[in-house]
Amino acid sequence: MCDPQSSAGGALDPSGQAHRRQNPPDRQKVKATGAGHDINYLALAGALYPIGPSDAPPTPPLNLVGNFGGGGTFLAMGVLAALVERQRSGKGQILDVAMVDGISVLLTQMAGWMQMGLWNRERTGNLLDGSAYFYRCYEAADGRHIAVGALEREFHDAFLAGLGLDPGDFPDYLNPDVWLDRTRRIEPIFRSRSQREWCAIFNRLDACVSPVLTFDEAADHPANRAREAHVHSGRSLQPAPAPRFSRSTLRSPVPVVSRPDLLGSLTDWAVSENEIRSLQQKAITE
């Protein structure tokens, strides 16, 4: 049905029979070198290389880009597209999903900018990789951070105004040659106030500036509270289902199970005693 890691020569069809892709002979000769995880597929797809500062190793973006972005999201879209096509043709088909394929598609904008000469092929020095002084994070006086995404001129100028700087002193802001010096000028300004103090200033301005929050802080933020973006159930906190529909009702997730409640929860989920005993013998539930 699907081949998330693209590490085998074929996939399984609904009957359980091996399905051989109709690939050119030269492609079928390519074999995977071994096991891998999100970080490995990001690395092989060229998506890990540009992330992080140039004087340090690339920084893994958690498992959001590979597993969930290039893998799970493309699998879900593929299933939905296949269902729509089946309504038209009346035929089913095999869905071949690989994380490296999905990650490569996510890089389409960067690839296009490279061909146009708008993206530096080396690490850093680009608009969206944290090199631009108006699109990066800054450390505040309390060690917390502020995220700045002032890409357009109006937001750029409002951002500078919030810092007490004259936008007129910052012409040609899209020129990478000026970014480093301006970053060095702005960094000590941010370190002069706490994150809370900067929030009080920028809450009055439309400058694309926001605090970098922890997961718990994000769940309690007024904007997320208004959106009901998280489900609060006792000590359990998790994201609410998305997207939302005008007619269909989404089922709210059940509270997250803690380790002491695991066996009771397995019983509630109709897992048989034999299956639970097997899990215990294999030390899976410990």
Side-chain angles (χ1 to χ4, degrees):
M1 291 286 286
C2 61
D3 186 8
Q5 299 177 356
S6 190
S7 61
L12 293 179
D13 66 18
S15 66
Q17 300 298 314
H19 166 71
R20 182 63 56 179
R21 299 190 203 93
Q22 299 302 315
N23 295 328
D26 59 337
R27 183 178 170 188
Q28 287 197 15
K29 293 179 182 178
V30 179
K31 300 295 183 180
T33 57
H37 286 288
D38 187 281
I39 188 172
N40 305 112
Y41 302 113
L42 287 174
L44 290 176
L48 187 59
Y49 176 78
I51 301 177
S54 60
D55 58 352
T59 303
L62 305 182
N63 63 340
L64 302 178
V65 178
N67 282 343
F68 299 136
T73 300
F74 278 80
L75 173 60
M77 289 193 300
V79 169
L80 296 176
L83 290 173
V84 172
E85 196 280 335
R86 187 189 64 179
Q87 291 180 325
R88 298 176 179 175
S89 67
K91 300 178 181 180
Q93 57 185 312
I94 301 297
L95 185 60
D96 178 4
V97 183
M99 272 191 270
V100 290
D101 295 346
I103 296 169
S104 295
V105 173
L106 294 177
L107 287 171
T108 298
Q109 183 183 45
M110 304 301 120
W113 282 353
M114 287 181 190
Q115 314 312 312
M116 299 166 63
L118 300 177
W119 188 270
N120 176 20
R121 294 175 183 270
E122 300 303 318
R123 299 185 65 208
T124 69
N126 293 297
L127 183 65
L128 303 178
D129 63 8
S131 299
Y133 66 92
F134 51 86
Y135 197 89
R136 53 160 293 162
C137 292
Y138 289 93
E139 183 177 351
D142 55 358
R144 301 299 303 275
H145 296 90
I146 297 291
V148 179
L151 288 171
E152 293 79 12
R153 169 60 77 175
E154 59 180 302
F155 303 128
H156 169 271
D157 290 355
F159 159 59
L160 294 176
L163 296 176
L165 298 172
D166 183 358
D169 295 336
F170 291 76
D172 195 20
Y173 77 103
L174 294 177
N175 180 6
D177 293 338
V178 303
W179 291 350
L180 182 58
D181 287 341
R182 294 180 182 182
T183 296
R184 290 171 175 167
R185 179 178 176 183
I186 291 173
E187 283 177 329
I189 298 177
F190 267 109
R191 288 196 293 266
S192 68
R193 299 176 187 266
S194 68
Q195 183 192 71
R196 183 181 296 273
E197 290 173 317
W198 285 118
C199 287
I201 292 173
F202 284 104
N203 282 344
R204 302 191 298 266
L205 301 171
D206 202 8
C208 298
V209 176
S210 56
V212 177
L213 304 177
T214 66
F215 179 75
D216 290 329
E217 290 172 335
D220 200 43
H221 190 275
N224 295 326
R225 282 277 189 177
R227 285 286 303 171
E228 297 181 348
H230 300 82
V231 176
H232 301 257
S233 179
R235 291 181 301 173
S236 177
L237 171 65
Q238 53 192 314
R244 291 108 184 255
F245 300 88
S246 61
R247 292 185 296 102
S248 303
T249 301
L250 299 176
R251 184 177 65 179
S252 181
V254 298
V256 175
V257 178
S258 62
R259 278 292 178 182
D261 302 328
L262 181 56
L263 296 181
S265 298
L266 291 174
T267 301
D268 293 339
W269 295 337
V271 178
S272 69
E273 293 183 5
N274 288 337
E275 290 173 314
I276 293 177
R277 191 177 302 110
S278 176
L279 293 173
Q280 290 174 317
Q281 292 174 347
K282 296 176 182 178
I284 295 176
T285 58
E286 295 181 358

